[in-house]
Amino acid sequence: MDLTNRTAILVIDVQNDFCPGGALAVNNGDLVVPVINRLLPAFEVCVFTQDWHPRDHQSFAANHGDCEPFSTLDMPYGTQLLWPMHCVQDTDGADFHEDLDIDKAQMIVRKGFRPHIDSYSAFFENDRRTSTGLHGYLHERGVDSIVLAGLATDYCVGDSALDAARLGYEVTLIEDACRAIDLEGSLATAIRHMREAGVKFAHSETL
Ligand code: VGL
Ligand code: ZN
């Protein structure tokens, strides 16, 4: 693919809790780190996201009495999958992976900080209307195309890709720079939705 100075890389949630040993570990989640570090210098615009939940966050099963992690609950904005407690503000689990080259981050978008609403996408919270402000930032910097990397392909990366495509950006997901949680076919569903939205898929070596 062609990288121009109007291309941004979006590095999604490469945090300890999504890596092996973390509270919501993604298989081989840590393997995205060297791939992302290799990609970063090629981009004029580098934005990272950080899942950043208060302890009383309503996406945590533990905050709903007898609900089990990975069960679902109806919320005012739709069905919410309940997660193990993860990425709690100011904990080690919420820190970026220690080998991730965070010095390259020009902007870090924190999301999921409102107790009553989850936020997968880097652009909008799960009500699909509360903005994180990222679209405005990218617009100000003249970005028209986005490369996506990070965790997890089927949740935060996927929803960010779909929103970016909907907002009119050209979107490419770097397959070897992402890993999935893959609950009951969620990866296949996410890939189908991304393809339908016009998201392109590429390998890091082709950049
Ligand atoms: C994520 C589930 C809950 C992600 C974040 O980064 O994909 N998944 N919070
Ligand atoms: Zn989360």
Side-chain angles (χ1 to χ4, degrees):
M1 67 171 293
D2 291 335
L3 290 183
T4 71
N5 60 3
R6 298 169 72 87
T7 308
I9 184 167
L10 221 58
V11 177
I12 306 292
D13 298 359
V14 182
Q15 294 165 261
N16 292 325
D17 270 343
F18 298 121
C19 291
L24 181 44
V26 179
N27 264 334
N28 294 322
D30 55 331
L31 297 187
V32 304
V33 173
V35 182
I36 291 169
N37 286 346
R38 219 160 41 233
L39 288 171
L40 286 168
F43 293 87
E44 185 77 17
V45 179
C46 300
V47 175
F48 288 33
T49 67
Q50 188 173 26
D51 213 33
W52 191 251
H53 300 308
R55 210 163 271 285
D56 62 349
H57 198 255
Q58 296 302 299
S59 79
F60 296 159
N63 290 328
H64 297 278
D66 49 8
C67 290
E68 290 293 325
F70 309 110
S71 64
T72 57
L73 200 64
D74 287 333
M75 301 284 203
Y77 54 85
T79 304
Q80 173 71 46
L81 193 49
L82 296 177
W83 302 104
M85 204 175 258
H86 65 277
C87 297
V88 174
Q89 296 170 3
D90 291 317
T91 63
D92 290 345
D95 278 349
F96 291 108
H97 187 287
E98 62 174 357
D99 297 329
L100 185 69
D101 192 0
I102 53 170
D103 290 353
K104 295 275 187 329
Q106 299 160 351
M107 156 97 165
I108 296 174
V109 178
R110 284 178 168 168
K111 60 185 182 61
F113 52 78
R114 291 187 177 83
H116 294 285
I117 179 164
D118 208 1
S119 190
Y120 294 158
S121 162
F123 293 93
F124 295 100
E125 303 199 7
N126 286 9
D127 62 359
R128 319 303 314 136
R129 63 191 94 236
T130 306
S131 171
T132 64
L134 179 59
H135 183 41
Y137 175 82
L138 295 176
H139 178 75
E140 285 284 312
R141 295 206 54 194
V143 169
D144 60 10
S145 104
I146 291 175
V147 163
L148 274 159
L151 307 170
T153 319
D154 40 351
Y155 290 96
C156 292
V157 177
D159 278 16
S160 299
L162 291 176
D163 278 344
R166 218 173 279 135
L167 289 167
Y169 297 93
E170 187 183 311
V171 185
T172 307
L173 182 144
I174 309 302
E175 291 174 89
D176 55 318
C178 298
R179 289 292 186 284
I181 297 175
D182 204 11
L183 290 170
E184 297 173 23
S186 58
L187 177 59
T189 304
I191 289 175
R192 180 164 51 78
H193 288 155
M194 285 190 270
R195 285 198 196 288
E196 286 166 3
V199 174
K200 298 192 184 87
F201 293 79
H203 193 274
S204 65
E205 253 132 57
T206 69
L207 290 196

